[in-house]
């Protein structure tokens, strides 16, 4: 009997060592809860857990406040919109009123989180104070918040602002990173705005690690970049462009030679 107990204890100690090979995520500086490691930690997190992992334990509802628990911020919402923006960015200041109008007409289905690139409290407060949604704690407030925001930018491959990402509120799965263009296309038409939300809901949300990202919706030359990428995948188009450019250069060269005989004089 003692030998059997010894084997069991050794087996349990091996299991414990294996569990330590997968350490839990580092808690934030404002999270005081204790997490117990169980088998459920390897499964897809429910809504309250993925939002806290992404945005932190609290979200701001107004500037210079202590915030509200992230886990309860999106109850009843079907979609969550991430808005990467900043007060110093002219395209952002131009787009924000359009997004506010869109949000007010569709807020029964969507929640929104402002991910700020502002660098000081005054700029952030003035800009966020006009927004009717939540905000992450700005990156300048702490190293933890800076790292968390940087992680989001890396995950969604944000290349410029403003960028608008849409996620499934229940799972955190990815729906689109082209939402800025789509919101602008919907304009001020409330029906078109609600149809856009329904189109997002009808799309198959995919786990983020399986998602295919564009430019995050932030680059002003997004359409040009896409066109270039499309052409590069079509050898026939590339050959056609090469022939056209070659003919144009030859034509310009011939024009230069004709003009040089008659007009080529020293001044």
């Amino acid at each position: 009997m003692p030998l059997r107990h010894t084997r069991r204890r050794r087996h349990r100690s091996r299991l414990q060592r294996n569990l330590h090979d997968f350490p839990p995520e580092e808690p934030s500086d404002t999270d005081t809860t204790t997490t117990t490691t169980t088998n459920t930690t390897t499964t897809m997190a429910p809504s309250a857990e993925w939002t806290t992992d992404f945005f932190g334990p609290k979200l701001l509802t107004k500037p210079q406040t202590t915030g509200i628990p992230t886990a309860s911020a999106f109850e009843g919402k079907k979609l969550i919109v991430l808005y990467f923006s900043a007060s110093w960015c002219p395209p952002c200041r131009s787009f924000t009123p359009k997004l506010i109008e869109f949000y007010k007409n569709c807020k029964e289905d969507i929640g929104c989180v402002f991910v700020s690139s502002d660098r000081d409290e005054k700029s952030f407060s003035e800009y966020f104070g006009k927004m009717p949604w939540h905000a992450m704690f700005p990156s300048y407030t702490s190293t933890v918040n800076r790292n968390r925001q940087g992680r989001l930018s890396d995950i969604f491959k944000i290349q410029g602002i403003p960028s608008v990402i849409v996620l499934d509120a229940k799972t955190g799965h990815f729906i689109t990173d082209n939402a800025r263009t789509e919101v602008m296309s919907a304009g001020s038409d409330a029906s078109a705005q609600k149809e856009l939300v329904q189109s997002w809901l009808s799309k198959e949300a995919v786990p983020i690690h399986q998602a295919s990202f564009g430019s995050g919706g932030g680059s002003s030359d997004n359409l040009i970049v896409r066109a270039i990428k499309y052409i590069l995948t079509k050898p026939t188009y590339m050959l056609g462009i090469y022939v056209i450019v070659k003919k144009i250069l030859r034509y310009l060269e011939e024009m230069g030679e004709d003009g040089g005989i008659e007009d080529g004089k020293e001044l």
Side-chain angles (χ1 to χ4, degrees):
M1 291 294 291
L3 180 59
R4 291 181 181 178
H5 285 305
T6 301
R7 289 176 178 175
R8 288 175 182 173
R9 285 196 294 270
R10 289 176 179 174
H11 182 62
R12 282 197 299 269
S13 65
R14 284 196 296 269
L15 288 176
Q16 290 170 350
R17 285 197 298 271
N18 290 338
L19 284 175
H20 287 307
D21 290 339
F22 302 93
E25 291 190 5
E26 181 181 355
S28 67
D29 55 354
T30 56
D31 190 359
T32 59
T33 59
T34 301
T35 303
T36 302
T37 304
T38 65
N39 290 335
T40 58
T41 56
T42 59
T43 61
M44 175 57 68
S47 175
E49 293 185 11
W50 84 257
T51 53
T52 300
D53 179 52
F54 269 31
F55 309 133
K58 287 188 174 183
L59 285 171
L60 294 170
T61 55
K62 293 181 180 179
Q64 299 179 344
T65 59
T66 57
I68 63 170
T70 303
S72 60
F74 304 107
E75 292 179 356
K77 304 300 183 182
K78 299 176 183 177
L79 301 169
I80 295 180
V81 174
L82 277 62
Y83 182 35
F84 293 81
S85 181
S87 64
W88 48 260
C89 163
C92 298
R93 293 197 302 269
S94 176
F95 176 71
T96 296
K98 297 178 177 64
L99 186 60
I100 290 174
E101 181 184 14
F102 177 85
Y103 174 81
K104 288 181 177 179
N105 288 334
C106 305
K107 62 182 179 181
E108 65 273 10
D109 290 324
I110 66 174
C112 188
V113 178
F114 172 38
V115 185
S116 175
S117 293
D118 284 306
R119 299 155 186 154
D120 60 78
E121 183 63 33
K122 184 176 183 294
S123 301
F124 171 78
S125 295
E126 290 180 355
Y127 193 43
F128 176 51
K130 302 173 184 177
M131 300 177 182
W133 46 67
H134 302 90
M136 291 180 64
F137 282 80
S139 60
Y140 60 81
T141 57
S142 73
T143 301
V144 170
N145 293 329
R146 181 170 61 252
N147 292 340
R148 183 178 289 119
Q149 181 172 321
R151 175 174 171 250
L152 281 187
S153 297
D154 290 341
I155 287 173
F156 297 109
K157 304 186 187 307
I158 302 300
Q159 299 178 11
I161 55 174
S163 290
V164 185
I165 310 292
V166 180
L167 305 176
D168 181 277
K170 183 178 180 180
T171 63
H173 288 180
F174 174 82
I175 294 177
T176 182
D177 64 349
N178 193 41
R180 176 197 174 196
T181 300
E182 294 175 320
V183 168
M184 293 182 68
S185 297
S188 300
D189 187 340
S191 298
Q193 292 171 346
K194 293 186 177 183
E195 287 176 4
L196 175 56
V197 171
Q198 292 304 312
S199 73
W200 291 340
L201 290 170
S202 67
K203 289 183 178 180
E204 181 183 0
V206 298
I208 291 173
H209 69 276
Q210 297 178 7
S212 177
F213 298 103
S215 65
S219 176
S220 60
D221 60 356
N222 189 32
L223 184 60
I224 297 174
V225 171
R226 291 185 179 184
I228 293 173
K229 288 181 178 180
Y230 178 77
I231 291 172
L232 291 176
T233 61
K234 303 290 183 180
T236 305
Y237 290 177
M238 293 179 63
L239 180 60
I241 292 174
Y242 171 76
V243 171
I244 292 172
V245 171
K246 190 173 181 180
K247 287 184 177 180
I248 292 174
L249 292 175
R250 185 176 179 181
Y251 175 73
L252 292 174
E253 184 179 357
E254 290 175 353
M255 286 185 63
E257 290 176 355
D258 293 342
I261 296 174
E262 182 177 350
D263 300 326
K265 299 178 181 179
E266 292 185 5
L267 295 177

